[in-house]
C-alpha cells in the first residue's frame, strides 16, 4: 500500500471515530440552579452528589451566598433560580412574598422550614485567650481591646445581624450595659450604640459596615470568616454551631437565653431588633427581629425547572430528617415536622 493510500485510510478512520463520538453524546442534562445560605454549602454538596447519583439526567449547580444575597438573586438580580434555601425563614415572606417585577404573582408564596441552629463563639488554639476562655467568661475575653472579633456582614448574611443580636442580648443577660460597645460597637466611627425603648433594644446600622479599627473584621458571609480565623487574622468569630463542628473548630456554647437556638426563649429574642442601613434593593426587609434560628427552602414562582426543583426539595427534606454531624439539626423527628407556610397563613 502506497503512502498516500495509507494516509487516506487513516483519515477515513479518524472521521469515523469522530462521527461515532458525535452520535453517542446521550441526552442533555437538565441544569438545576440551587442557591443556599453559606452555612448550608457542606450539607448541600453531599446532597447534590447523592441526588445526582439517583437522577443522572439532572445536573445540580450549587451557588452559596449570604441568606439575604441568596434571596436577592431572584428578587433584585432577577436570575433564573430553581431553589432558594436560607438560614432565616422569615426572609422568605419578608422579601419574596412581593409581586414579581415581570409576570403574575409573587416571587413565591410558600416556604418549608427544615432545620435549626444556634450561634456559638468559634476559635482556635492560637486565639488570644484560648487557654482561659470559658462559657462563663467568654464575653469578658471578647471585650478586651487586643482581642479581634469577626462576624459576617448583616446587610448580606443572617449570621451577621444575629451576631449583633447575641451581643446585645448578652449585655442584658450578664448585666453588662456597655458590653455591645466593648465587643463590637466601639470599633465603628461613629460607634454603634443600641437604643432601648419600651423594652426593645434596637441596633441601627449605617449603610456601609466598615470598622474603624482592627478590633472587628467583617466578611460577606460567615463561612468566609473561617480562613481569617485559621490564619490568625481574628481570634474569635460568631458562627453557627454546625459550621464550627463541621470545620473542626473549638467553640463556646452560649446560654439558651442568648444563643437564638431555643424556642422556649423566643420572647427574649424578640426584644432585640436590627435595622439594616440601606434601601438600595426593593425587596430588603430592613428590620430584622430576633427569633429562634430556623432554615427554610422555597421554589421561586418563576423557577425554570419547577418539577425537578420539587424533586430536589423533597430529597433535601428527607436527607435532613436523618440528622448528621456537622449539619444544622432537623426541625423535628416526625416526617411531617416541616410544615409549609403560605402567604395566606
Amino acid at each position: 500500500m502506497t503512502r498516500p493510500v495509507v494516509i487516506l485510510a487513516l483519515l477515513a478512520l479518524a472521521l469515523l471515530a469522530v462521527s461515532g463520538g458525535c452520535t453517542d453524546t446521550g441526552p442533555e442534562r437538565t441544569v438545576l440552579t440551587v442557591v443556599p445560605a453559606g452555612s448550608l454549602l457542606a450539607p448541600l454538596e453531599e446532597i447534590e452528589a447523592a441526588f445526582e447519583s439517583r437522577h443522572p439526567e439532572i445536573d445540580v449547580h450549587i451557588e452559596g451566598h449570604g441568606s439575604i444575597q441568596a434571596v436577592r438573586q431572584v428578587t433584585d438580580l432577577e436570575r433564573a433560580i430553581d431553589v432558594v434555601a436560607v438560614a432565616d425563614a422569615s426572609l422568605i415572606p419578608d422579601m419574596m412574598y412581593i409581586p414579581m417585577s415581570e409576570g403574575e404573582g409573587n416571587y413565591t408564596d410558600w416556604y418549608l422550614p427544615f432545620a435549626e441552629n444556634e450561634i456559638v463563639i468559634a476559635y482556635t488554639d492560637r486565639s488570644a485567650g484560648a487557654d482561659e476562655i470559658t462559657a462563663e467568661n467568654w464575653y469578658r475575653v471578647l471585650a478586651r481591646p487586643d482581642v479581634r472579633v469577626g462576624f459576617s456582614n448583616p446587610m448580606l448574611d443572617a449570621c451577621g445581624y444575629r451576631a449583633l443580636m447575641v451581643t446585645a442580648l448578652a449585655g442584658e443577660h450578664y448585666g453588662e450595659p456597655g458590653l455591645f460597645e466593648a465587643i463590637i460597637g466601639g470599633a465603628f466611627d461613629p460607634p454603634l450604640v443600641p437604643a432601648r425603648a419600651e423594652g426593645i433594644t434596637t441596633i441601627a446600622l449605617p449603610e456601609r459596615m466598615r470598622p474603624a479599627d482592627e478590633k472587628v473584621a467583617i466578611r460577606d458571609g460567615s463561612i468566609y470568616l473561617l480562613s481569617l480565623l485559621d490564619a490568625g487574622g481574628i481570634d474569635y468569630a460568631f458562627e453557627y454551631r454546625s459550621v464550627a463542628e463541621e470545620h473542626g473548630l473549638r467553640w463556646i456554647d452560649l446560654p439558651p437565653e442568648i444563643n437564638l437556638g431555643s424556642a422556649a426563649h423566643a420572647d427574649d429574642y424578640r426584644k432585640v431588633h436590627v435595622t439594616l442601613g440601606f434601601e438600595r434593593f426593593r425587596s430588603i426587609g430592613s428590620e430584622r427581629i430576633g427569633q429562634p434560628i430556623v432554615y427554610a427552602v422555597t421554589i421561586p414562582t418563576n423557577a425554570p425547572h419547577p418539577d425537578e426543583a420539587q424533586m430536589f426539595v423533597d430529597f433535601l427534606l428527607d436527607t435532613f430528617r436523618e440528622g448528621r454531624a456537622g449539619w444544622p439539626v432537623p426541625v423535628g423527628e416526625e416526617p411531617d415536622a416541616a410544615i409549609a407556610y403560605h402567604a395566606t397563613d
Side-chain angles (χ1 to χ4, degrees):
M1 184 178 295
T2 64
R3 182 179 178 84
V5 173
V6 171
I7 292 174
L8 288 173
L10 290 174
L11 287 173
L13 289 172
L15 288 172
L16 285 173
V18 171
S19 63
C22 290
T23 58
D24 192 26
T25 57
E28 185 176 348
R29 300 173 73 191
T30 298
V31 176
L32 197 71
T33 304
V34 179
V35 179
S39 57
L40 288 171
L41 275 177
L44 282 188
E45 285 174 358
E46 292 187 38
I47 291 173
E48 173 190 4
F51 181 81
E52 288 181 345
S53 68
R54 293 193 183 187
H55 301 281
E57 75 283 5
I58 300 176
D59 181 14
V60 180
H61 285 192
I62 305 292
E63 181 183 313
H65 292 277
S67 289
I68 289 177
Q69 284 290 73
V71 173
R72 285 194 57 245
Q73 302 305 305
V74 176
T75 58
D76 291 287
L77 303 182
E78 298 185 351
R79 293 179 56 199
I81 304 297
D82 293 294
V83 177
V84 174
V86 295
D88 182 351
S90 70
L91 289 172
I92 294 177
D94 284 357
M95 296 177 65
M96 298 186 74
Y97 286 12
I98 60 175
M100 292 185 287
S101 57
E102 295 182 7
E104 298 181 359
N106 295 335
Y107 286 101
T108 193
D109 287 316
W110 64 272
Y111 67 93
L112 278 163
F114 65 92
E116 302 168 336
N117 221 325
E118 63 187 64
I119 299 294
V120 300
I121 307 300
Y123 65 107
T124 71
D125 292 337
R126 296 191 301 166
S127 299
D131 58 344
E132 58 180 304
I133 192 169
T134 67
E136 288 70 39
N137 71 2
W138 69 270
Y139 59 95
R140 293 194 179 98
V141 173
L142 268 62
R144 294 173 182 170
D146 60 337
V147 169
R148 297 160 297 178
V149 178
F151 62 96
S152 56
N153 191 335
M155 308 295 184
L156 309 176
D157 188 47
C159 195
Y161 53 75
R162 285 167 171 159
L164 305 179
M165 292 172 178
V166 165
T167 309
L169 287 168
E172 294 290 324
H173 180 72
Y174 295 110
E176 299 278 353
L179 190 62
F180 182 88
E181 292 89 332
I183 295 177
I184 292 176
F188 293 83
D189 185 17
L192 303 180
V193 180
R196 188 168 177 82
E198 300 181 354
I200 301 297
T201 297
T202 301
I203 304 164
L205 303 182
E207 182 171 355
R208 295 183 181 275
M209 292 292 292
R210 291 179 176 174
D213 60 41
E214 295 182 356
K215 167 67 178 176
V216 165
I218 296 177
R219 293 294 183 269
D220 286 352
S222 61
I223 61 169
Y224 301 124
L225 294 167
L226 300 177
S227 59
L228 195 61
L229 188 63
D230 184 62
I234 55 175
D235 298 300
Y236 299 91
F238 288 87
E239 287 286 355
Y240 294 117
R241 192 181 199 276
S242 64
V243 173
E245 182 179 0
E246 196 270 331
H247 289 274
L249 297 170
R250 298 177 68 178
W251 73 83
I252 297 295
D253 286 319
L254 303 178
E257 292 87 350
I258 69 173
N259 68 8
L260 303 181
S262 169
H265 293 282
D267 289 340
D268 296 324
Y269 304 157
R270 278 193 285 270
K271 295 176 182 177
V272 178
H273 298 186
V274 174
T275 302
L276 304 181
F278 63 11
E279 297 180 358
R280 289 176 293 169
F281 311 118
R282 74 187 191 96
S283 63
I284 283 291
S286 62
E287 186 177 42
R288 310 314 312 157
I289 299 173
Q291 55 188 302
I293 297 169
V294 176
Y295 289 73
V297 63
T298 191
I299 300 171
T301 300
N302 58 354
H305 309 103
D307 294 337
E308 292 85 351
Q310 188 62 59
M311 291 166 57
F312 184 83
V313 168
D314 291 342
F315 189 82
L316 179 151
L317 296 176
D318 289 341
T319 307
F320 261 91
R321 289 186 189 115
E322 298 172 6
R324 301 189 184 184
W327 288 25
V329 299
V331 291
E333 297 180 358
E334 298 301 322
D336 59 352
I339 301 171
Y341 291 83
H342 295 266
T344 55
D345 292 346

